[in-house]
Every structure is written in C-alpha cells, then in structure tokens.
Amino acid sequence: MLSAALDGSGPAILPLDPGLPQARLTELLAAFAPNAIVTTEGTKPLALPGAGGGPAPGVGDDVAVVLATSGSTGVPKGAELSADAMLASARFSLTRLGAGPDGLGAAGRAGTAGSRWLCCLPTHHISGLGVLVRSLVAGTEPLVVDRIDADLAGSADCDYVSLVPTQLQRLLAAGAPVSRFRAILLGGAAVAPGLLAQAAAAGARVVTTYGMTETCGGCVYNGTPLDGVRLASGPDGRIRISGPVLFSRYRAAPELTSQCLADGWFVTSDLGGLDADGRLVLHGRADDVINSGGEKVVPGLVEQALRDCPSVKDAVVVGVPDPQWGERVTAVIVPADESALPKLADLRAAVAATLPRYAAPRAAVFVPEIPMLTSGKPDRLAVRMIAARQGVQ
C-alpha cells in the first residue's frame, strides 16, 4: 500500500496504531475522515463528515501519506506528506549514509548487499515508516519486527537500523553485537552523551538524527542538515527548517498550517541554534518551557546538566504548579545506583554550575524508569503526574 501511494497507483494512506484505545481511534478517524479503513479482516468503506458537517474533502494528488503527529494529548494533527517529500528524504538519507551506488535506484530495483534495513519502530510513526520508504528506494526487502533484542541484533541479516535511545541502551546493557550494523540511526528523543560513549566503546557507528513528522523524519544527521535542507534560528529561538522534505499541510486545518508553514519554512516548536560550524544545537521545546518565579527555564538544558552527573542515569524536567513560584522546577530522575540516591542539594549545585541558579530543580523524584511514548519520546504528561504526586522538596 505504501509503494502504491508513493507511485500514485494507489490511494493515500493513513497508518494508525491498532493498539490504541477505541475512543482514541474514533477521535482520529473523525478528525481525518478517511474514505475507508483497512484491517486484517478486510476493507470497510467509511462515510465520515468533514469539519463543516458536509462530505470530507479528499487530499491532493501529490499526497501519499497522512500521519498523525506523535503526542498523548491535545487536538490530533494530520500531516499530509507528498510522495516527492518522502522520496527526497529517503534518497538524502541513503546518500549521507553511503548506502551504496545501487541503493539509490528506483523502487523495485535490486539494491547492493548490505543495504537491507531492520525495522523495529512502529510504522504508524514517521520513524518506522521512513525505514520502509528507504527500503523501497533502495530496492531491498526490510525485516519488520515488533521489537529488537540482543539475539535479533546478532542474527538479523540487516546492515542498517533505526532506534530510539531506550532501545540502544537496552541493547548495550544486554551485550548485543551493535558493531555489526553499518550504521545505527538514533533519534526520537534526547541522547545522553554517556550513551553515545558506550555505543562507541562497543564499536557501533551511531548517527544521531533530528526531525519530525512534518520533515518526513530525520533531516539533520549528527548536527548537519541533509543535502537540500536548510536550518535557521528565528528571533524567538525556534528552529526553522526549509527544503524538499517538508510536509504539505495539516489535514483540514488551514489556520494551523499557516501558523507554522510560510514562505517555504517550517517553524518548529524546538528551541536551539547553530554553532560556529553550522551544526544544530538543541535546547528543548518551546512548549515545555517552565515559568518559575518570572524566569524562563528550558527543561532540555537542565536535563543535559543532570545527565552529566555520575549519580544520574536519566532525567526529565517538568514544571509543577506551585503557589509561590508559579511553576516548580522538578526533576524526575532514574538514579545510576538505586541504593545511593543523589541528594537534591548536589543536583542543584551541578545544574547551577552551568546554568542560572533559578534553573536548578527545587524538587526531585526518583523512579526506576522514565515513562515513554511508543514513539520513543518521554511521556511528559505521565512524568508531570508523577512529579506532582511525589515531588520531594
């Protein structure tokens, strides 16, 4: 179905997670109004009304895929991705990776040995779907699995894989032979420097990626944009992206589209900038910024400082409502050693060594693991609930 959508011989597709609660599936179907739903039981025509109550509009002839953007709350957004954008993203990726001269042929053409992909990410997210598009462009058959473990990593006849940090961390802990992959694309969430060091010590070639559904997935590799992609940082600190990989529009949401897509540039919700070498440096998300005592705190910067502490294995920082500060900077931490929890005073001192004092967490919660979304990103709603319920002064 994806191949037919890309070459125009079939309809555009809307991949959805069949494991979602029925209420969420119903919400997504109502928001995006597809003409039919395809399951293992067959195809069922639908006749859902559009936003105005009349017949639902179709999509443009150029649109191959509509993807619901990741997230656990809020109004669902469906990014319309053109075939040209998705194919450009795949070709740029394969070129940057050096996937082999035949790896850039038309879909259906035999690719070179070693250009096969292991797909262990959900194909209803751009991360997993992107693996399938690269495979089509390379002309190879991907190995699609629900999950990856050390045994599969060692036995799979694949040379490329796309992972989220949690997956790589678990593979390293299990002693998986990660060095056998020609490249591991790593994205979807912040990557701790310690994880990259562990992977390098294990002989892995890790390529960190940055991108989102609206850019057909990763469009920045190891801080450098792919060919044809341009980056800029606006006066508000938000990252802007331009190039042939951009989505066309949000489904049936022209006002939402105009808020972030104009003059060929996509205005992201991520804060960051470019260093002296033109490499992207991320600071966090604009919608995650904490307002504490009138000061703006970027959680991503605090998380980086905390992850540099030897006593911290992982950390997510959120704002918790507070009558005195407005929002209390709270760190939800996975300790490196559960029998020796770090002291809040020491965590505050570590953050204050590189950031303003007001950015230091005023509360800490210790958990065995960070709750995650299926996309590989921290579930910040769940983290906020944990922090509000268990925060320690």
Side-chain angles (χ1 to χ4, degrees):
M1 293 183 70
L2 175 60
S3 177
L6 289 171
D7 66 22
S9 63
I13 60 174
L14 167 67
L16 294 177
D17 178 7
L20 285 175
Q22 185 59 47
R24 180 60 172 172
L25 281 172
T26 300
E27 180 184 19
L28 292 173
L29 291 174
F32 303 142
N35 291 325
I37 182 168
V38 180
T39 69
T40 55
E41 299 176 354
T43 300
K44 176 184 176 182
L46 297 177
L48 298 170
V59 296
D61 293 339
D62 63 322
V63 176
V65 176
V66 179
L67 272 186
T69 55
S70 61
S72 58
T73 62
V75 178
K77 295 185 295 184
E80 295 188 358
L81 308 177
S82 71
D84 286 346
M86 297 194 73
L87 292 171
S89 172
R91 294 188 179 106
F92 294 162
S93 173
L94 293 171
T95 298
R96 179 63 59 87
L97 293 173
D102 290 341
L104 300 180
R109 178 182 175 183
T112 58
S115 60
R116 191 183 190 204
W117 285 80
L118 173 60
C119 181
C120 55
L121 293 170
T123 53
H124 51 268
H125 286 302
I126 191 60
S127 53
L129 197 70
V131 172
L132 301 188
V133 179
R134 291 185 208 108
S135 298
L136 284 169
V137 171
T140 57
E141 186 71 21
L143 175 60
V144 183
V145 297
D146 290 334
R147 60 183 60 85
I148 186 173
D149 57 24
D151 290 339
L152 180 61
S155 62
D157 183 23
C158 300
D159 281 70
Y160 295 95
V161 65
S162 184
L163 302 174
V164 297
T166 300
Q167 290 173 312
L168 178 57
Q169 188 175 55
R170 290 173 179 172
L171 288 176
L172 291 171
V178 291
S179 62
R180 66 177 305 276
F181 292 106
R182 290 175 61 182
I184 298 173
L185 296 186
L186 190 66
V191 183
L195 180 60
L196 295 178
Q198 291 177 41
R205 179 196 174 195
V206 175
V207 179
T208 60
T209 69
Y210 168 76
M212 58 280 298
T213 302
E214 290 87 347
T215 61
C216 293
C219 61
V220 180
Y221 282 16
N222 286 337
T224 303
L226 296 178
D227 297 342
V229 175
R230 291 187 294 160
L231 301 177
S233 181
D236 56 358
R238 296 194 182 207
I239 298 167
R240 269 83 166 157
I241 302 175
S242 179
V245 300
L246 294 187
F247 76 123
S248 300
R249 65 194 65 84
Y250 290 119
R251 171 118 172 101
E255 292 185 2
L256 185 62
T257 301
S258 63
Q259 291 173 10
C260 62
L261 193 63
D263 300 324
W265 288 88
F266 171 56
V267 182
T268 75
S269 295
D270 295 317
L271 301 174
L274 305 178
D275 65 14
D277 297 322
R279 294 167 61 90
L280 178 65
V281 178
L282 292 172
H283 296 156
R285 289 184 60 82
D287 46 12
D288 289 333
V289 169
I290 301 168
N291 192 329
S292 183
E295 300 287 357
K296 300 292 180 64
V297 177
V298 179
L301 296 178
V302 183
E303 291 164 1
Q304 291 174 22
L306 289 171
R307 292 183 184 125
D308 287 339
C309 298
S311 59
V312 175
K313 183 178 181 181
D314 199 3
V316 173
V317 174
V318 295
V320 174
D322 184 274
Q324 179 180 358
W325 300 98
E327 287 185 291
R328 182 173 68 251
V329 181
T330 303
V332 176
I333 291 172
V334 178
D337 183 353
E338 293 185 7
S339 64
L341 300 181
K343 297 183 183 302
L344 178 59
D346 294 337
L347 296 174
R348 286 178 53 82
V351 172
T354 58
L355 296 174
R357 190 73 183 176
Y358 59 76
R362 296 183 177 277
V365 177
F366 300 101
V367 296
E369 62 181 7
I370 299 294
M372 307 294 284
L373 298 167
T374 58
S375 62
K377 299 177 181 179
D379 187 339
R380 290 188 175 270
L381 176 61
V383 170
R384 286 190 183 95
M385 293 175 66
I386 292 171
R389 185 169 60 246
Q390 303 178 14
V392 178
Q393 294 289 343

